[in-house]
Amino acid sequence: MSEPLRTVNVGLIGLGTVGGGVARLIKSHHDEYLAAYGIDLKLTRACALAWEQAEAAGIEREAFTSDWHDVVTDPAVDIVVELIGGEHPATEIFTTAFENGKHVVSANKALLGRHVETLAEKARACGVQIKCEASCGGGIPIVSTLEHDLVGNKILTIAGILNGTTNYILSRMDAEGADYADVLADAQAKGYAEADPSADVDGFDAASKTAILASIGFGTRVTTDDVYQQGIRTIGAEDIAQARELGYTIKLLGIARNTDAGVDVRVHPTLIPADHMLAKVNGAMNAVYVVGDAVGETMFYGAGAGSFPTASAVVGDILSLSEQISRGVVPLPEIEPYGHNLAFKPMDELQTKYYVRLKVADRVGALSETVDIFAKHNISISLINQVEDGKSGVSDACSVIFLTHRALEKDVQAAAAELASVDCVAEVANVLRIEDVEAWTEGVMAN
């Protein structure tokens, strides 16, 4: 490997779990990067709120600062790594770094999911790049795969388990028959879930990642606000058990489909066949399933979070930029941001099968009244299953599971609203979609 023309200097902002991992990787693998790729990588500046964080990550005292401005304005720094998350001051870090000629590497899915178009325009104008492999799927190399390895395809479907916390909770509920609240409390006690788990369990984290992946995969601008979002708080042990009996597994999925009717982007708990590849992804692991018209089905599996898996993706982006910088070549500016050139398919127009769990009054005629309401809203029932007495949690009521034939989302929601208002229904306990996984491969070229 030829010798580098110069050292590539990195400025790191944020020395938490991931930032500390990045610092350790750069230091411990410096000689390997130099030998294998001819890249002399140096962590020149590092910013954290307290020196103790920097010290724990092995940062030299002269490289440390508690003011991010010192990093983004340092003339020696080539690449700024932003790992603090959130919108502010992350937005200011990005823009000030661009104005000072710095490329930015980030894992900030919340910021990029909503504002990457504005940031990309700014980066392009300043002649620099944004890299964000670590923003989607932790250590899974999915962003570069979509940007480079699968670019010869029309991407038809991206579907994934994109949040480790929710997958951990649902996996334990499935394995132990436990309720959501109990598993969440235990996960919080063990540090697998945040004290405020809203971003995870309400689907925002997965929605941000779905937006980024759909934008890249479909070549159109998708923001987090474009993604339908529903979390897992309503999932009970009863739903998990019923799904298993019916041959399904419940997973929180980020789903993006490039259909003739428009881009279909959504995050919600869904029933998928128990023998599907995604159904077998358990614990805190992540997986992204991608269908291209030429390549067909592919799946990428790995740790979606954690210090070193995420740091692996961050350092991969750093090395990608450094390969040119170290040889005196200026990396090309950020590509022109994607426009909103594809229409969005309204969530109301989704057509699939549904699982509906009602708590119905235990009296003659109640069941037929509920069936009539489904029929009134053009919904055909394929299966009715009454759960054993004592599991409904409501006096004088029993849980009844309905599976529908294919129906429109707007009709199912209208039926659920009417069911909630009639005397014979004590509660509409859950309405879950049964994903049509066969549709994910529509459009694949025949070999």
Side-chain angles (χ1 to χ4, degrees), residues 89-365:
T91 300
E92 292 76 19
I93 289 170
F94 271 73
T95 56
T96 310
F98 297 156
E99 290 164 357
N100 282 273
K102 321 293 187 190
H103 306 283
V104 174
V105 173
S106 178
N108 196 333
K109 64 263 184 181
L111 177 64
L112 295 171
R114 282 205 163 123
H115 303 297
V116 72
E117 188 169 10
T118 302
L119 295 171
E121 286 173 351
K122 178 74 171 179
R124 181 176 174 81
C126 294
V128 294
Q129 285 189 29
I130 301 171
K131 292 280 190 179
C132 63
E133 183 65 73
S135 66
C136 300
I140 302 172
I142 187 61
V143 171
S144 61
T145 297
L146 291 171
E147 287 182 333
H148 302 290
D149 303 306
L150 295 180
V151 74
N153 290 256
K154 175 184 179 181
I155 301 300
L156 304 171
T157 300
I158 303 169
I161 295 168
L162 299 171
N163 182 269
T165 299
T166 52
N167 200 48
Y168 172 82
I169 291 170
L170 292 174
S171 297
R172 280 196 53 193
M173 289 175 68
D174 193 7
E176 302 169 17
D179 276 315
Y180 165 80
D182 294 334
V183 177
L184 173 61
D186 189 54
Q188 289 171 318
K190 292 179 176 177
Y192 294 126
E194 300 288 342
D196 178 3
S198 302
D200 295 322
V201 302
D202 293 332
F204 178 77
D205 177 78
S208 297
K209 296 171 183 176
T210 301
I212 295 169
L213 293 176
S215 294
I216 297 168
F218 304 154
T220 191
R221 186 70 195 104
V222 181
T223 73
T224 306
D225 294 334
D226 297 320
V227 181
Y228 172 85
Q229 183 180 320
Q230 178 189 343
I232 65 169
R233 292 182 192 264
T234 65
I235 306 298
E238 194 170 359
D239 299 312
I240 299 282
Q242 286 297 307
R244 188 189 307 112
E245 278 192 28
L246 296 165
Y248 295 102
T249 299
I250 298 176
K251 294 290 185 183
L252 181 78
L253 296 184
I255 299 168
R257 296 192 59 219
N258 191 358
T259 76
D260 292 339
V263 174
D264 169 19
V265 279
R266 46 199 164 91
V267 167
H268 53 76
T270 186
L271 280 72
I272 55 174
D275 60 355
H276 192 274
M277 293 182 288
L278 285 173
K280 302 179 186 301
V281 177
N282 292 314
M285 302 302 283
N286 282 198
V288 185
Y289 169 94
V290 180
V291 181
D293 64 345
V295 73
E297 298 175 271
T298 64
M299 195 170 90
F300 305 84
Y301 170 90
S307 178
F308 289 115
T310 310
S312 167
V314 171
V315 175
D317 280 344
I318 294 170
L319 290 171
S320 176
L321 290 166
S322 299
E323 187 174 8
Q324 297 177 73
I325 296 171
S326 67
R327 287 161 181 74
V329 178
V330 178
L332 292 173
E334 185 68 24
I335 63 169
E336 187 172 351
Y338 300 122
H340 291 269
N341 55 325
L342 295 179
F344 288 96
K345 180 178 178 179
M347 186 63 186
D348 278 353
E349 298 303 316
L350 177 68
Q351 191 170 39
T352 191
K353 299 176 182 179
Y354 290 80
Y355 161 103
V356 181
R357 176 163 62 90
L358 304 179
K359 294 178 181 178
V360 178
D362 193 6
R363 60 174 172 78
V364 175

Side-chain angles (χ1 to χ4, degrees), residues 16-95:
T17 300
V18 177
V22 169
R24 291 180 180 89
L25 275 188
I26 290 175
K27 285 180 170 293
S28 64
H29 292 343
H30 172 272
D31 292 349
E32 288 93 332
Y33 299 150
L34 184 58
Y37 310 116
I39 297 172
D40 180 21
L41 205 59
K42 181 181 179 183
L43 188 53
T44 304
R45 300 287 291 187
C47 176
L49 293 175
W51 160 247
E52 288 73 21
Q53 286 180 291
E55 187 177 32
I59 305 296
E60 289 80 8
R61 187 80 200 202
E62 59 271 18
F64 172 72
T65 179
S66 58
D67 185 349
W68 61 263
H69 293 87
D70 294 337
V71 178
V72 299
T73 60
D74 188 331
V77 169
D78 300 297
I79 301 169
V80 170
V81 181
E82 180 275 311
L83 294 174
I84 61 172
E87 291 197 22
H88 301 286
T91 300
E92 292 76 19
I93 289 170
F94 271 73
T95 56

